[in-house]
Every structure is written in structure tokens, then in C-alpha cells.
Amino acid sequence: MAIKTEPHSSPPRASLPPKAAEIGRSTADQRMSIPGRIARALAVFSIDEVVVFDDSPVSSRPRQTDTAGYTGDTDPAHFLTHILSFLEAPPFMRKALFPLHPNLRLTALLPSLDMPHHPNPKDWISYREGVTIPGKTSTGNGTLVEVGLDEPVEIEEKIPPKTRLTLLFPEDQSQYPQCVDPQAPRTEGGYYWGYTVRKCPSLSSVFTESPYEDGYDVSIGTSERGTPICEAFPPTTSLKFKHLLIVFGGPRGLELASMNDDELAKMDVQGGKTRELFDHWVNVLPGQGSRTIRTEEALFIALTALRGLRDGN
């Protein structure tokens, strides 16, 4: 069954540091399972964008990373964004869009996300993701597009191979599928259509490099030193937003990320002042029984607790 959201609704965005997921200190198998669990949370809760930011001291970061090699132990941010991007893509197009890479050696361990844009033979949606492939069309014009059906489809436009497209199939099957904006399935069709992945060098750049012209109109920082979530957002809370951002910190919290951020240092927003970056500063699980909560656990906890904010938007 396809998961749907209301047309023009805006799913929340999630931001997290790779070290919060303890990728750099795990075995290869564990490193692969962590982004898999994170991606499952993103899919289950219809997250629109995930931002991976580096919260480590700039002086401790490698000056140059060979991104053609395995980065799970050298550049966790690259590794996490690589795997999350791989998982978001429909399975049939991964081979075309993601060349062989050491990071992808254990992808058989990854879970299925089963999002609406991942084809299901039992469901038909008029929107489909596709990837252009080389080959001659029936008319000699246009482009062949692999969309996860038995045969490629043809479009009128001439587009280079290995280009990802979003297509709208008309009711009249004699007409060509149309290339549409990648956001059209969500904004016009009301479907959840996966997430985008963004990598940032610092906490402040999560905000300053926002792809939205007006930025994020509501931001929530998570911290064990925050206001209990039930107090910050009582059941009757109504919160209007276009772009809601939820930010998760590492084992030492978002305060550490601010301490290692040169731009925030210039603004004197560090340590306890980190909460000033956000509209809301919340503790998603007061009275936790474990000293630490892993990021993949915090995602499910926080998104469950905040579900009502989106449902009422």
C-alpha cells in the first residue's frame, strides 16, 4: 500500500552528526547496519530531508579523504550520506547511479525501505522514478527510461544516460510519460516520495546552507538538558510550519557541536547557549534508563513523540 501525505504538506527534516551513530567506532558490519536503521526511521516517518553534519574539532579532521576508497573509518559523514543516498534510490536504478564502491560491499545487509517510489508489482502509481539508459527508441527520437517495469519506456526529451527523472504517466497510454518536478508526487499527488541527503561541515551550516529560500521556519534541538517534550508540546499544541527541522546531537550533545563550530564561536553561541539556535529545546525521553540513547533510537523516539505536530499542520 502506498504511503500518502496530504498534498502540499511538509514532512519534517532531520539533522544529525555521524559520530552520534558511532559509525567511526564500529565494525564494518555494524557501520552498515546503523545507516540502515536510520533510513528506516526516515522512511517510516516520511522525512523529507536528512542533513549530516560534522561535530568534531576541525583540527582532528583529516585534511583530505579518498572518497573513492572505504570511508566508514576515515570520513563517517561521507559514509553515512553515501549509504543513505543509496537506500533512498529505487532498487532497480542503484546499479546505474551508484558505481561499485568499497562502501557498498555489504549492502546485502541493508533493509528494504519500501517507499512509494520504490516499485511494487501490486501497486500502480501514476508517478514513477526513472533513470535514462542508452538505446534506440521506436521513433529514433527521445530517450529510453528504465522505470522498474518489464520494459523501458520512451519519453520525447533527449536526456543523457544515467540521469534520474521523475515521470508522470498519463491516463491515455498512447501518450508519452511526462518529465515533472521531483517534488510533484508530494506537492501535487500527495505521496511521500523519499528524502534528500545533505552533508554539512558544521552545525551552523545546517542552517546557513539550507536549500529553502526562507530557511527553516521552525527548529527543534534535542538535548537531555532540554524541556521535557510533553511540556514543550502538550497534546493540544498546534504548530504551523513549512519546513520543520529536528536536530540530534552526538553522545556529548549539541553543545559539543557548537563548541567545535568556528562560526558559532564568533557569535558566542556555545555550550549552554546552544539552545539559542533553536525555537524549541527539548528532551525527547526524560528519565531514560540508559546513560546514552543511540541516534537511530532517538530518531524513532523523537519522531513518534512529535508526530502530532505534523498531523495537525
Side-chain angles (χ1 to χ4, degrees), residues 120-313:
N120 185 319
K122 296 182 180 180
D123 291 330
W124 171 256
I125 297 176
S126 56
Y127 293 97
R128 292 184 84 93
E129 290 295 285
V131 59
T132 55
I133 58 175
K136 188 175 181 180
T137 64
S138 60
T139 62
N141 298 314
T143 306
L144 292 177
V145 184
E146 176 62 62
V147 293
L149 298 174
D150 293 336
E151 298 290 339
V153 300
E154 300 180 14
I155 59 173
E156 292 182 298
E157 295 84 355
K158 194 70 175 177
I159 300 175
K162 297 186 178 182
T163 301
R164 181 170 171 174
L165 305 172
T166 303
L167 301 181
L168 173 61
F169 283 73
E171 293 185 6
D172 184 351
Q173 296 184 4
S174 66
Q175 297 182 0
Y176 286 104
Q178 298 178 343
C179 295
V180 297
D181 188 290
Q183 293 298 317
R186 180 176 67 82
T187 58
E188 298 178 16
Y191 296 100
Y192 172 58
W193 212 247
Y195 54 82
T196 60
V197 183
R198 185 160 62 94
K199 180 172 175 282
C200 288
S202 64
L203 174 58
S204 61
S205 60
V206 172
F207 296 90
T208 60
E209 297 177 7
S210 169
Y212 309 104
E213 183 176 355
D214 297 324
Y216 303 101
D217 49 348
V218 176
S219 60
I220 299 174
T222 60
S223 170
E224 63 180 12
R225 291 163 287 279
T227 303
I229 198 165
C230 58
E231 296 179 15
F233 301 108
T236 56
T237 299
S238 178
L239 190 63
K240 296 296 182 181
F241 61 86
K242 290 183 179 179
H243 305 295
L244 168 64
L245 177 71
I246 308 169
V247 185
F248 299 86
R252 294 175 60 184
L254 288 171
E255 292 88 347
L256 175 67
S258 67
M259 294 293 290
N260 293 327
D261 190 316
D262 292 341
E263 292 302 315
L264 293 182
K266 296 175 184 177
M267 299 165 57
D268 192 29
V269 178
Q270 294 186 310
K273 292 185 177 181
T274 307
R275 65 176 60 212
E276 297 176 8
L277 285 173
F278 303 95
D279 298 308
H280 304 276
W281 185 249
V282 303
N283 182 348
V284 299
L285 189 63
Q288 63 193 58
S290 174
R291 293 186 182 89
T292 58
I293 298 178
R294 295 176 179 271
T295 297
E296 61 268 33
E297 297 168 339
L299 277 170
F300 275 103
I301 295 168
L303 294 174
T304 299
L306 295 169
R307 179 76 180 184
L309 296 182
R310 181 187 162 192
D311 289 344
N313 190 52

